[in-house]
Structures are given as structure tokens and as C-alpha cells.
Amino acid sequence: MRHEMRAEYAPGAEATAGAPVKIWHMVRGETTTALCGRSLGDRAATQSEDLWGSTTEPFCHSCGAVYLREVP
């Protein structure tokens, strides 16, 4: 199964180019529901799952735990 990282922004911030990311979440495929259950914007920035662990912004611990159980 493919995953991708999807951004969550601070309250009131819009998902526009250059907007500061509050935290990264992991989603299955191209969905907008994070592995932790949080609903994310459909226009939120995405990154390849290959970049997991290499971002300067924080990553959701709950998503990380579920992701590690799903990925061999």
C-alpha cells in the first residue's frame, strides 16, 4: 500500500504555497484522512512517504506508529 505525507496548518492558515506547516501526517494513498484519524485539507501540501523522518517540521507521533506497523 502506498502512503504519502500530508500537511496540517495552524488554525486560520490557508494551504497555499509557502504556508508554514504545523505538523505532517501520513495518509493512505491520496486520501485526506490521516492514519491518526485527523481530517486534512484536500489542498494541503503532500510529500512522498520516502521523506518520512527527514522534515524540519514535526511529524504526528500517532501517524508514525501506525505507519511503521503498516510498512514492512
Side-chain angles (χ1 to χ4, degrees):
M1 171 180 290
R2 290 290 302 169
H3 295 79
E4 71 178 4
M5 294 170 50
R6 186 171 290 270
E8 175 186 342
Y9 300 96
E14 294 185 30
T16 58
V21 173
K22 176 182 173 185
I23 190 168
W24 286 97
H25 293 272
M26 192 68 75
V27 300
R28 291 179 188 98
E30 296 177 2
T31 63
T32 58
T33 302
L35 297 181
C36 68
R38 181 172 296 275
S39 181
L40 304 168
D42 59 347
R43 297 187 324 160
T46 60
Q47 296 189 65
S48 167
E49 67 182 299
D50 297 333
L51 297 175
W52 180 72
S54 66
T55 63
T56 57
E57 299 91 359
F59 189 85
C60 174
H61 290 17
S62 297
C63 283
V66 174
Y67 176 67
L68 288 175
R69 287 184 187 104
E70 290 187 1
V71 176

